[in-house]
């Protein structure tokens, strides 16, 4: 498994890293629920319809539990929770939910574990290496 990369130059003049090059991942395409269901069908005893049904139900349950203010934990995948973004106020009494909450977003924290040196190894990234995007090498 590999993540494909290319280099991009930072063109933000106010940035302390202006002019430097950074790695950027390049998607190798998308996979649909139908394709995932087909693959799961080949790898298990479940039918494609069963897999689609379970994933669709998971989506519905995830949305409902998040609406209820709960954090949803999927072992080996990660944690989903809602968080708010807001404008700041000088006095707590001046805060108005309708005016100062700018949006509600779904946060995702991938499952992982600490490894030697204090770094975190994310379960979904375990075993992945970086390679140059086809046709790109400096």
């Amino acid at each position: 498994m590999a993540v494909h990369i290319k280099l991009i130059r930072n063109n933000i003049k106010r940035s302390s890293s202006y002019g430097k090059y950074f790695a950027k991942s390049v998607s190798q395409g998308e996979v649909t629920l139908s394709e995932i269901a087909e693959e799961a069908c080949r790898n298990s005893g479940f039918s494609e319809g069963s897999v689609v049904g379970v994933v669709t139900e998971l989506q519905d349950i995830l949305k409902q539990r998040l609406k209820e203010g709960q954090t949803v934990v999927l072992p080996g995948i990660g944690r989903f929770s809602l968080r708010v973004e807001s404008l700041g106020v000088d006095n707590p009494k001046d805060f108005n939910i309708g005016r100062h909450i700018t949006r509600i977003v779904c946060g995702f924290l991938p499952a992982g574990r600490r490894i030697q040196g204090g770094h975190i190894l994310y379960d979904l990234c375990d075993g992945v290496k970086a390679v140059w995007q086809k046709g790109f090498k400096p």
Side-chain angles (χ1 to χ4, degrees):
M1 291 186 285
V3 60
H4 295 245
I5 64 159
K6 66 180 183 178
L7 297 179
I8 59 165
R9 186 172 190 237
N10 179 350
N11 291 319
I12 301 170
K13 292 185 178 180
R14 295 181 303 246
S15 172
S16 62
S17 57
Y18 173 74
K20 294 187 179 186
Y21 290 84
F22 295 88
K24 177 179 171 46
S25 61
V26 180
S27 174
Q28 300 302 297
E30 295 181 352
V31 63
T32 65
L33 175 54
S34 177
E35 293 168 319
I36 290 170
E38 186 179 307
E39 187 173 339
C41 179
R42 286 193 309 268
N43 296 339
S44 70
F46 300 109
S47 70
E48 289 181 41
S50 294
V51 173
V52 170
V54 168
V55 172
T56 302
E57 187 62 22
L58 173 63
Q59 175 188 1
D60 293 344
I61 293 169
L62 179 69
K63 188 173 182 178
Q64 183 60 40
R65 294 303 182 112
L66 291 172
K67 280 183 176 181
E68 293 171 4
Q70 295 176 318
T71 296
V72 178
V73 180
L74 301 177
I77 296 176
R79 304 168 68 88
F80 296 85
S81 61
L82 296 182
R83 65 175 197 262
V84 297
E85 295 179 356
S86 71
L87 302 173
V89 294
D90 293 326
N91 186 332
K93 291 181 180 183
D94 295 334
F95 192 87
N96 177 291
I97 288 177
R99 189 175 32 213
H100 294 105
I101 299 289
T102 56
R103 68 182 188 152
I104 299 172
V105 297
C106 181
F108 173 69
L109 178 64
R113 61 191 181 284
R114 291 218 178 265
I115 58 174
Q116 195 173 26
H119 299 289
I120 297 176
L121 176 62
Y122 296 105
D123 293 356
L124 296 173
C125 302
D126 194 10
V128 177
K129 304 292 182 206
V131 298
W132 291 111
Q133 169 65 14
K134 185 176 180 180
F136 181 91
K137 191 170 181 184

